[in-house]
Amino acid sequence: MKRTSKNALFAIVAGALCCPAQEPAPPPAPAPQADPIAAILAKVKAAEAAARSFHVELTTRGALEDGLEFTTSGSLHVLRGTHPRQKTVLRFEFGNGLGGVMETVRTKDGITIYQDDPAFGELLLQVAPATVADLEWAGTVLARSDLPGMRDALAEAPLGSGLLEDLRVHFDLAVGKPAEVGGVPGTWLVGARRPGLGDQDPELPIATRVEVFVRSADHAVLEVVHHRGDKVLQRIGVQRLEVDVAIPDEVFAIDARGLKPRDVATYPPLWEQIERALAAAEAKAGEGVVRPSRRER
C-alpha cells in the first residue's frame, strides 16, 4: 500500500505540472478479503504434515440410490518416518443383512489383504512391492484410488484436509457459529451445492447441502453430513482421532485365520483389474512410457 500511495501521489503531482486540467487518480481498490475456509484448510494440512502417527476410527451411515441402507465402520493406523507402515480395517453391513470385512496392511514388503465378503468368502492376498509401486504410479496417471497401492486419501490426510478440499469444490462453504459435538469445541462449516456443476464426484452422494464440523484444537474434520432437501443422505462421524501416539508393532499384523497367503497374480478377479489399470496408465502416459517395474535400472 505504501508503494501504491507513493506512485499515485507522484502521478498526481506530475499531471498537475504538465496537464493542470487532469482529474486526480482513482483511489486504489480495496484488498481482497481473506478466505476463512482456506485458512482452516491450511492449518489442517500443516498439522497433518507435522504429525508422525495417526489413529482414526470412524463410522459412515447412509443409503444407496435404491434406498438400501448401509453402515461402515473403520479404523486406520498410520506410522511415518524411516519405517512407514499403514493398516486399514473396514467393516460394512447392508440393511438386507449382507456384510463383510476387509483388512489391509502396507509395509516395505508390499501389501497384505484379508477380506471376507458374501461374493468371494475369505481370502488372504499378497501384493509384491513392485506391483504396489506400479499401482501407485498408475493411480497418479489415471487419477484413481480404487485399487490397493493407489492413493489412499484418508491415509494421506487423516485429519480430513483431502475431504475438505473435495467438499469445497462442490459446495460453497462458509463458517458457521462455534459449537460443541460430544463435548468437543469446534465450528460447523455449512454450504449449498455450487450451481452448474456437471462433474459429480462418484465418491460423494448427490447432496444439495453439506455440514462439516471441525474441532477447534487442530481443525480436524470430525463429522460430515450430506443433505438432500430436508433428508440426511449420509453421515460420517469420527469416534476417535489421535495424533502422534505410540502404535505397537502388533497392530500392523493381520490375523490370517488359518489361511495361506496367495500371490495376487494367482487371483484373477483382482489381478485382471490390476493389469487393465496398468495398461490404461501406460496408454495414457504416452508412447514409450511403461510401468516402473518394466523400466531399465
Side-chain angles (χ1 to χ4, degrees), residues 32-41 168 173-175 194:
Q33 296 297 313
D35 182 350
I37 306 299
I40 291 173
L41 193 53
R168 195 176 177 218
L173 294 178
V175 178
R194 296 183 185 276

Side-chain angles (χ1 to χ4, degrees), residues 129-187:
T131 304
V132 173
D134 285 348
L135 284 165
E136 186 173 17
W137 167 78
T140 300
V141 173
L142 300 174
R144 284 175 52 179
S145 59
D146 57 315
L147 292 174
M150 291 182 173
R151 176 178 178 265
D152 186 332
L154 181 58
E156 292 179 8
L159 300 186
S161 67
L163 177 58
L164 190 55
E165 281 187 312
D166 289 342
L167 292 173
R168 195 176 177 218
V169 171
H170 293 85
F171 298 90
D172 186 16
L173 294 178
V175 178
K177 294 181 179 180
E180 285 193 5
V181 172
V184 178
T187 302

Side-chain angles (χ1 to χ4, degrees), residues 5-297:
S5 301
K6 183 178 179 181
N7 291 341
L9 179 61
F10 177 81
I12 292 171
V13 173
L17 290 176
C18 63
C19 302
Q22 282 187 334
E23 293 291 331
Q33 296 297 313
D35 182 350
I37 306 299
I40 291 173
L41 193 53
K43 291 178 180 179
V44 180
K45 287 185 174 182
E48 288 172 337
R52 307 311 301 163
S53 68
F54 300 91
H55 175 200
V56 185
E57 296 179 5
L58 54 83
T59 300
T60 301
R61 292 183 173 88
L64 303 178
E65 287 298 313
D66 60 4
L68 181 64
E69 295 183 347
F70 68 87
T71 300
T72 67
S73 60
S75 66
L76 170 71
H77 289 84
V78 177
L79 185 63
R80 295 173 175 171
T82 54
H83 302 289
R85 286 170 285 178
Q86 173 186 322
K87 182 175 182 179
T88 304
V89 179
L90 176 66
R91 293 179 175 84
F92 59 92
E93 182 177 350
F94 293 99
N96 58 10
L98 295 178
V101 61
M102 174 178 284
E103 299 182 19
T104 304
V105 171
R106 180 170 179 171
T107 69
K108 64 179 179 61
D109 298 319
I111 294 177
T112 302
I113 304 169
Y114 168 82
Q115 71 177 47
D116 183 9
D117 62 49
F120 300 101
E122 285 191 302
L123 290 169
L124 186 64
L125 302 174
Q126 187 69 38
V127 185
T131 304
V132 173
D134 285 348
L135 284 165
E136 186 173 17
W137 167 78
T140 300
V141 173
L142 300 174
R144 284 175 52 179
S145 59
D146 57 315
L147 292 174
M150 291 182 173
R151 176 178 178 265
D152 186 332
L154 181 58
E156 292 179 8
L159 300 186
S161 67
L163 177 58
L164 190 55
E165 281 187 312
D166 289 342
L167 292 173
R168 195 176 177 218
V169 171
H170 293 85
F171 298 90
D172 186 16
L173 294 178
V175 178
K177 294 181 179 180
E180 285 193 5
V181 172
V184 178
T187 302
W188 283 99
L189 310 180
V190 296
R193 180 170 170 79
R194 296 183 185 276
L197 290 180
D199 58 336
Q200 170 65 28
D201 189 333
E203 296 184 3
L204 296 175
I206 305 176
T208 56
R209 179 170 57 90
V210 72
E211 298 174 328
V212 185
F213 181 76
V214 296
R215 69 182 177 190
S216 299
D218 53 9
H219 294 87
V221 175
L222 296 190
E223 189 167 350
V224 179
V225 187
H226 289 88
H227 299 264
R228 184 186 297 163
D230 58 358
K231 180 181 178 181
V232 174
L233 296 181
Q234 179 175 287
R235 183 185 297 272
I236 304 171
V238 176
Q239 281 71 50
R240 189 172 185 177
L241 176 50
E242 299 174 312
V243 180
D244 286 333
V245 293
I247 304 178
D249 290 342
E250 53 265 28
V251 168
F252 299 101
I254 285 184
D255 180 2
R257 280 84 163 178
L259 297 174
K260 184 177 180 180
R262 297 173 54 179
D263 188 292
V264 69
T266 69
Y267 181 62
L270 182 54
W271 184 247
E272 290 173 4
Q273 294 182 60
I274 290 173
E275 284 286 82
R276 286 196 298 268
L278 297 180
E282 288 175 334
K284 184 176 180 180
E287 185 176 354
V289 179
V290 296
R291 63 195 72 172
S293 64
R294 291 182 176 177
R295 298 171 189 169
E296 295 182 2
R297 301 297 181 187

